[in-house]
Amino acid sequence: MISKTAIKHLKEKLGEKNVLHEKEDLLVLGYDSTPGVHHLPEVVVYPTSTEQVLAAMEIAAREGLPLVPRGSGTGLSGGSVPVRGGMVLTLTRMNRILEIDEENLTATMEPGVITLDLFNAVAAKGLFYPPDPGSQKISTIGGNVAENAGGLRGLKYGVTRDYVMGLKGILPDRSLITTGGKSVKDVAGYGFKDLLVGSEGTLGIITEVTVKLVPPPRDKRTFLAYFNDVRTAGEAVSRIIAARIIPSTMEIMDRVTINCVEDYVNIGLPRQMAALLLIEVDGHPAPVAEEAAEVRRVLEQVKAAEIHVAETAEQAASLAAARRTALSALARVSPTTLLEDATVPRSRLAETFGEIERLAAKFKLKVGTFGHAGDGNLHPTVLCDERNHDEMERAHAFYNELYEKVLDWGGTVSGEHGIGLAKKEYLARQIGAGGVKVMKRIKQSFDPEGILNPGKIFEDQDSGAEQHLEEGFRVSH
Amino acid sequence: MSHTDSLGNFRPKDAPEYEDVLQCMRCGFCLPTCPTYALTGRERSSPRGRVALARAVAEKKLEFTGAVKEEAFFCLDCRACTTACPSGVKAGEVMEVCRSQAHAFYPLGAMGKTFREFILQRMLVSPDLLEHSMLPTRLYQRLGLQWLVRHLGILKLGPDWMAKAEGMLPSLEKPLRPQLPEVVPAQGEKRGRVGFFLGCVMTLLYPQVSRQTVRVLSHQGYEVVTPKATKCCGAPHLSEGDRQTARELALFNLDLFLSQEVDWIVTDCAGCGAALKEYEEILAEDADHHRLALFRAKVRDISEFLAAEGLRTEGMKEVRRSVTYHEPCHLCHAQGISNQPRQLLKAIPGLELREMAESSWCCGSAATWGLKYSEESRQVLDRKLQNVTATKADILVTANPGCQLQLAWGVRQADMPQEVRHLMEILGEAIPD
Ligand SMILES: Cc1cc2nc3c(=O)[nH]c(=O)nc-3n(C[C@H](O)[C@H](O)[C@H](O)COP(=O)(O)OP(=O)(O)OC[C@H]3O[C@@H](n4cnc5c(N)ncnc54)[C@H](O)[C@@H]3O)c2cc1C
Ligand code: SF4
Ligand code: SF4
């Protein structure tokens, strides 16, 4: 239990309204978007400056409270769920863009800036920040960095890591660090900036982010292609890549997903089609025209059922927006949506679809699949009811077998959502005991006391922190 | 399959459906659209947080605590979250239901009861009483509001709410209802028979608006029936958590309008329209399904109706002004009507429509919310007014009396040049006599 004095000190340092400990506030900050996990913190703080983050950390350390950084809680692997209770440190009130440097093409900001707000702010200056997770309307930059989030433009432009140039943060030993900066080249010492990216809030709290900006593409062409079966869509993806074309976007939705999205957006997606691909090529006008012609040729070759080209920029934008809602729209169908993040080498895409179909039938599950097809990053999503334990068991078995295959094919258990709580067991399978050992040593050197986000990525038995589970909420996962 | 008790810690009557709260997958898409989350940055004042609270009560992880009650009433019921939610969760409606739960768990004190009985259950259910109260003196005095303010701690109305309420009142004309003929004939070739649902606030505070609505309908070829017996739609009661009186009113209006043999039931009040369209749900257990469906199929907002039927524009007069359009929550979010008012504005010759940023962001009025949370309401309103100012339009158009009151007040307070008008006033200007 957190002491009254600790609460008092927190309020002194952070201000009355930035420290919450009523049951109702704790209840609503014990989850992220990962289904089936909910654990109560003991206190929630909303620092508004680096100094306040530091003060909160000091108090947490003194009280022996686990400390869990949180952005907007859109994470899909349980990263910001306080499994051992303690303090949830929410960074959404540190949301200022500090600088957009047009000479160096960088932007520097606090971690709570909403991804879309950054995108819009730089776009207003004629610049482009490419990473765009489906959750961009509400996810924070800090959360994106901590998860190394990908997005709809990942195929050509890469993921968050490719844009992070510098970070400031506080390590669990309360030291302030700066790593990287505005220099395009920097090889001074170990590159632990790259360690912090994707560290899922276990190595340090990021308090400032500098990202690289690029000039926006001059032109783009958006295709929407429909298919009578999912495997053909997968084949189209492989063939486009094989034709040496790198579209900026190549997103897929299967029939179940198309229907859920259409229920929400009502833009006339054909409900009977087995799959759709959203393909965008961008860049300078001349190559764009050439690539667009090539994409069309491949689509015709594989016999796509229908091929459409977006006529206006708004139309293209609304298609991308519709795709972004896929996961949330799937949640219409059933009380619980269990989503995974299976990623395979692109040449295996068609087979992966086959495998998903086979396993869904085998375990009698309703599965909707969508994802970043161009990256080989699929999100098979089991639509189920967490009150039905038998169904949850089958879902578990489904993912088990699927990941078995994915790993056999040289894929990964997480393309972008991270390991968090949800995939600890699979991580060990992917990287082996040796890999886990090295990772634990890294964690140990950053966080010898084990106070920062314990219980994530891998089991940390040595932390000694008490298990703080809220009974009844956990489902097998 | 192990079932959690579907009611949990809720009282059985008028509890949220467990399935409705389970549907939330906590993606957070609703967060950036919620005015109360924008105000506080506090998760429990967000749609996702509110649904989580309701879920915790349903799962017996939480009692129906004071904080839950607070959130139920702090929610503006603007339904922006409903529009934003891909999963089909209706956080605003869940909170509306929770308001009646709040009364079950925290019974009103004597004064609160008096308020409820007097205003909600006596004045607002009787158009005659309401109108008479208007005649001799100002609305708020005769409604006993002044008396209530002095005696009523319980409603926690904001400190300066009375000054605001008084400041908001437009100069009053005579109520429209007694003046309006029960049947106004169609002009030109007749296109049908419309039942006009005249709202309480419309007849009392904005008679000139509804007068135009009837005139426009008649000009457009519709015979207009305005039943004198019409009672309040029930929206204020739902908003205060008095679902029982709301149901009684709904039943009355349902019978009344179905007996008129009209092709459509049209209203120019977005709040009334939203309530009428929800009779199906409110009365699900109290009325015949067939009749509810029949009623629902006839209800239209005036802009929805005219846009769908096609405006007769020949002979329309020019209106050489620029306007910007504020979307009432109960039109765009509750009824999904967003394009139609714009279509009508664009059809008026000479009129220039200048879009404002965030046109569907709430104005902060929200029934009595703006009086209870006057400081917060001011902040929501300021954001709106800034967006209005940026357009430099001559006229600020809306389509709901609550918004009109709040916006007109705000514009006056901020010394802005804009006139604030109902869509039907502008359209009426273009319709020849
Ligand atoms: C509908 C939907 C679509 C999505 N689409 C995508 C997608 O296309 N691509 C993708 O990659 N992800 C996607 N996600 C997952 C999620 O949005 C991302 O992981 C996102 O980056 C999380 O950001 P957040 O601000 O919500 O962080 P949270 O969920 O709050 O936190 C995520 C992790 O980051 C840590 N953290 C947060 N802030 C900090 C900080 N300042 N310092 C240190 N650690 C911190 C937390 O401890 C936690 O481990 C999607 C999620 C949803 C709900
Ligand atoms: S209410 Fe809807 S939009 Fe909001 S978090 Fe839940 S599912 Fe997402
Ligand atoms: S109805 Fe409005 S105020 Fe209430 S939760 Fe939804 S968006 Fe927020």
Side-chain angles (χ1 to χ4, degrees):
Chain A
M1 263 306 274
I2 185 169
S3 69
K4 285 222 170 74
T5 10
I7 301 261
K8 195 174 130 244
H9 287 159
L10 282 170
K11 287 186 172 170
E12 276 163 18
K13 296 279 186 191
L14 277 79
E16 193 77 29
K17 72 174 197 329
N18 293 325
V19 180
L20 306 176
H21 50 92
E22 281 177 44
K23 172 123 196 238
E24 292 79 4
D25 287 300
L26 304 179
L27 253 168
V28 300
L29 284 156
Y31 53 67
D32 66 358
S33 305
T34 317
V37 274
H38 191 194
H39 302 269
L40 297 191
E42 292 167 59
V43 64
V44 176
V45 298
Y46 287 89
T48 55
S49 67
T50 304
E51 294 71 47
Q52 291 192 353
V53 175
L54 187 59
M57 260 180 124
E58 275 164 358
I59 295 170
R62 209 159 58 215
E63 291 278 315
L65 294 172
L67 187 68
V68 184
R70 187 183 203 268
S72 290
T74 66
L76 287 166
S77 54
S80 53
V81 176
V83 257
R84 308 250 164 101
M87 178 188 291
V88 165
L89 189 140
T90 302
L91 291 139
T92 48
R93 289 185 188 165
M94 286 177 68
N95 59 0
R96 288 175 307 159
I97 296 177
L98 304 169
E99 183 194 42
I100 296 172
D101 181 342
E102 295 181 69
E103 264 174 46
N104 287 306
L105 296 188
T106 63
T108 300
M109 75 219 81
E110 295 180 330
V113 168
I114 303 295
T115 316
L116 185 62
D117 291 346
L118 170 67
F119 178 87
N120 286 334
V122 304
K125 300 204 184 261
L127 290 166
F128 184 42
Y129 175 69
D132 62 339
S135 53
Q136 59 158 315
K137 261 192 198 167
I138 187 64
S139 67
T140 66
I141 286 293
N144 291 176
V145 173
E147 294 289 358
N148 187 17
L152 273 64
R153 287 187 282 261
L155 177 53
K156 174 172 173 183
Y157 291 99
V159 295
T160 305
R161 165 167 289 128
D162 301 315
Y163 295 85
V164 176
M165 294 184 67
L167 293 176
K168 287 189 181 173
I170 306 179
L171 301 185
D173 67 359
R174 275 77 79 199
S175 54
L176 271 76
I177 51 125
T178 300
T179 165
K182 283 187 190 174
S183 301
V184 176
K185 296 168 106 179
D186 181 3
V187 293
Y190 290 157
F192 67 86
K193 174 192 81 192
D194 288 321
L195 258 181
L196 286 174
V197 179
S199 63
E200 305 188 26
T202 63
L203 299 183
I205 295 186
I206 296 151
T207 56
E208 195 179 297
V209 182
T210 298
V211 297
K212 173 170 86 176
L213 306 173
V214 296
R218 299 245 180 103
D219 196 12
K220 68 175 168 194
R221 204 69 47 88
T222 308
F223 289 91
L224 197 58
Y226 298 108
F227 299 85
N228 290 322
D229 76 289
V230 190
R231 264 169 272 188
T232 316
E235 201 185 316
V237 172
S238 304
R239 291 231 204 153
I240 288 171
I241 303 285
R244 310 283 186 272
I245 294 173
I246 308 288
S248 53
T249 292
M250 201 142 50
E251 297 287 313
I252 195 162
M253 294 201 257
D254 72 353
R255 180 184 289 132
V256 178
T257 315
I258 293 172
N259 278 283
C260 296
V261 170
E262 179 60 17
D263 283 343
Y264 173 53
V265 293
N266 291 310
I267 52 174
L269 302 175
R271 294 174 178 277
Q272 73 288 358
M273 290 293 176
L276 74 72
L277 276 183
L278 176 70
I279 305 171
E280 200 158 275
V281 287
D282 71 6
H284 280 277
V288 163
E290 242 174 73
E291 289 179 0
E294 186 66 17
V295 166
R296 179 178 279 280
R297 202 183 52 75
V298 175
L299 290 173
E300 282 165 0
Q301 222 175 42
V302 299
K303 300 204 167 49
E306 280 176 40
I307 305 168
H308 302 272
V309 183
E311 267 151 33
T312 59
E314 288 79 56
Q315 227 179 45
S318 101
L319 286 172
R323 157 60 188 87
R324 277 182 234 281
T325 67
L327 167 59
S328 324
L330 280 169
R332 278 173 184 269
V333 175
S334 63
T336 311
T337 36
L338 286 181
L339 149 129
E340 280 303 341
D341 193 16
T343 307
V344 293
R346 287 180 293 233
S347 56
R348 296 281 190 178
L349 209 62
E351 278 166 279
T352 309
F353 274 112
E355 191 62 12
I356 292 171
E357 276 179 9
R358 188 181 73 79
L359 291 173
K362 174 173 171 188
F363 292 108
K364 299 195 184 62
L365 291 166
K366 182 155 192 163
V367 180
T369 304
F370 64 95
H372 315 292
D375 303 338
N377 185 183
L378 294 182
H379 299 307
T381 306
V382 174
L383 308 173
C384 50
D385 188 330
E386 61 196 84
R387 292 166 292 184
N388 182 339
H389 291 297
D390 173 55
E391 194 177 41
M392 299 304 280
E393 287 299 318
R394 280 183 279 129
H396 198 63
F398 168 87
Y399 286 129
N400 252 326
E401 284 200 25
L402 181 63
Y403 275 131
E404 212 66 59
K405 264 282 171 0
V406 166
L407 292 177
D408 277 354
W409 289 336
T412 167
V413 299
S414 179
E416 56 182 17
H417 295 160
I419 300 299
L421 289 173
K423 268 175 292 195
K424 291 195 280 196
E425 53 177 307
Y426 298 128
L427 177 71
R429 250 190 267 174
Q430 180 176 331
I431 64 171
V436 172
K437 212 154 126 206
V438 175
M439 286 196 185
K440 279 190 177 176
R441 260 188 247 138
I442 294 172
K443 164 79 176 165
Q444 184 83 34
S445 70
F446 274 81
D447 184 12
E449 300 158 275
I451 61 167
L452 197 60
N453 212 354
K456 306 295 164 67
I457 305 184
F458 33 73
E459 295 303 338
D460 52 342
Q461 290 92 343
D462 1 285
S463 81
E466 211 181 306
Q467 197 79 354
H468 180 97
L469 296 184
E470 223 217 324
E471 282 314 312
F473 260 112
R474 283 221 65 163
V475 293
S476 63
H477 191 79
Chain B
M1 193 165 155
S2 89
H3 258 289
T4 316
D5 180 359
S6 64
L7 300 169
N9 285 337
F10 283 113
R11 297 284 161 94
K13 189 148 173 71
D14 289 324
E17 300 277 335
Y18 186 51
E19 295 294 327
D20 288 350
V21 293
L22 215 50
Q23 212 64 47
C24 172
M25 57 88 59
R26 308 185 294 213
C27 64
F29 280 5
C30 52
L31 266 61
T33 68
C34 176
T36 56
Y37 180 68
L39 283 171
T40 63
R42 195 169 173 172
E43 180 79 11
R44 77 175 210 203
S45 305
S46 79
R48 181 174 67 178
R50 288 180 172 131
V51 170
L53 287 181
R55 179 171 171 172
V57 176
E59 288 173 347
K60 293 194 173 174
K61 296 200 165 75
L62 185 70
E63 299 293 324
F64 193 103
T65 58
V68 179
K69 174 187 169 189
E70 213 174 280
E71 282 312 330
F73 283 97
F74 186 44
C75 168
L76 287 149
D77 202 10
C78 71
R79 318 262 170 111
C81 52
T82 304
T83 303
C85 177
S87 315
V89 176
K90 297 175 173 171
E93 270 133 303
V94 169
M95 285 300 116
E96 193 183 88
V97 173
C98 282
R99 290 180 183 188
S100 74
Q101 290 278 322
H103 290 308
F105 285 99
Y106 300 89
L108 291 170
M111 296 304 166
K113 263 217 195 83
T114 309
F115 166 80
R116 206 164 140 137
E117 278 162 16
F118 187 58
I119 298 194
L120 291 180
Q121 289 162 12
R122 250 175 71 105
M123 301 305 284
L124 278 177
V125 301
S126 157
D128 287 329
L129 270 178
L130 253 189
E131 277 155 17
H132 285 126
S133 75
M134 295 294 295
L135 299 179
T137 178
R138 289 190 188 284
L139 170 75
Y140 79 98
Q141 290 170 334
R142 283 301 284 188
L143 281 178
L145 294 185
Q146 193 174 41
W147 175 84
L148 278 160
V149 172
R150 293 205 187 111
H151 300 263
L152 215 64
I154 197 156
L155 288 170
K156 290 212 193 78
L157 291 175
D160 51 352
W161 84 273
M162 198 170 72
K164 181 174 173 188
E166 152 111 290
M168 285 173 90
L169 286 182
S171 58
L172 298 176
E173 292 176 35
K174 281 188 184 148
L176 181 63
R177 196 181 59 107
Q179 304 172 42
L180 209 58
E182 218 163 33
V183 180
V184 175
Q187 290 171 28
E189 196 188 328
K190 186 171 163 184
R191 296 163 90 182
R193 181 173 150 97
V194 167
F196 178 53
F197 188 91
L198 177 61
C200 309
V201 189
M202 282 317 219
T203 176
L204 295 175
L205 301 184
Y206 289 113
Q208 75 278 16
V209 172
S210 290
R211 194 176 287 125
Q212 291 298 345
T213 305
V214 173
R215 206 170 69 84
V216 169
L217 279 170
S218 145
H219 170 268
Q220 292 288 312
Y222 300 97
E223 182 182 5
V224 188
V225 188
T226 315
K228 286 261 191 276
T230 309
K231 284 188 180 175
C232 172
C233 65
H237 307 79
L238 287 176
S239 158
E240 289 296 330
D242 182 1
R243 298 183 82 78
Q244 189 44 43
T245 309
R247 272 194 286 264
E248 286 160 19
L249 290 167
L251 266 177
F252 179 88
N253 287 327
L254 179 82
D255 288 340
L256 178 66
F257 274 85
L258 283 183
S259 70
Q260 302 293 318
E261 288 171 5
V262 291
D263 305 316
W264 297 277
I265 300 163
V266 172
T267 181
D268 56 6
C269 168
C272 297
L276 296 176
K277 286 180 179 176
E278 281 165 20
Y279 278 7
E280 238 180 336
E281 283 110 73
I282 306 167
L283 295 178
E285 281 161 23
D286 302 78
D288 174 62
H289 279 283
H290 173 71
R291 298 182 72 232
L292 283 172
L294 191 67
F295 181 83
R296 174 62 190 87
K298 289 176 193 275
V299 178
R300 301 279 188 284
D301 178 76
I302 181 74
S303 62
E304 179 187 23
F305 179 70
L306 292 175
E309 297 289 298
L311 208 58
R312 283 182 185 165
T313 51
E314 60 278 15
M316 248 165 61
K317 294 188 288 189
E318 273 203 351
V319 181
R320 294 210 147 277
R321 309 290 290 277
S322 60
V323 302
T324 188
Y325 174 59
H326 159 72
E327 309 196 44
C329 298
H330 281 94
L331 207 53
C332 63
H333 299 308
Q335 300 184 57
I337 297 170
S338 183
N339 214 0
Q340 295 92 322
R342 294 179 162 92
Q343 249 172 280
L344 297 183
L345 287 170
K346 283 181 194 156
I348 298 174
L351 198 79
E352 182 201 350
L353 175 61
R354 295 189 190 166
E355 288 293 345
M356 69 169 94
E358 304 182 322
S359 60
S360 63
W361 189 264
C362 181
C363 67
S365 163
T368 55
W369 193 93
L371 299 177
K372 283 181 200 163
Y373 301 96
S374 52
E375 185 46 45
E376 288 83 354
S377 166
R378 178 84 235 193
Q379 287 173 40
V380 180
L381 176 63
D382 281 347
R383 179 161 170 171
K384 176 60 61 181
L385 295 181
Q386 272 166 24
N387 287 328
V388 173
T389 300
T391 66
K392 299 200 174 72
D394 305 328
I395 305 176
L396 169 54
V397 174
T398 188
N400 185 53
C403 305
Q404 196 165 355
L405 274 172
Q406 167 95 341
L407 293 169
W409 178 76
V411 161
R412 265 200 312 280
Q413 294 262 311
D415 245 335
M416 288 163 57
Q418 280 79 16
E419 294 170 35
V420 180
R421 290 273 175 272
H422 190 289
L423 173 65
M424 296 313 292
E425 289 178 271
I426 303 293
L427 195 56
E429 232 179 274
I431 298 288
D433 296 316

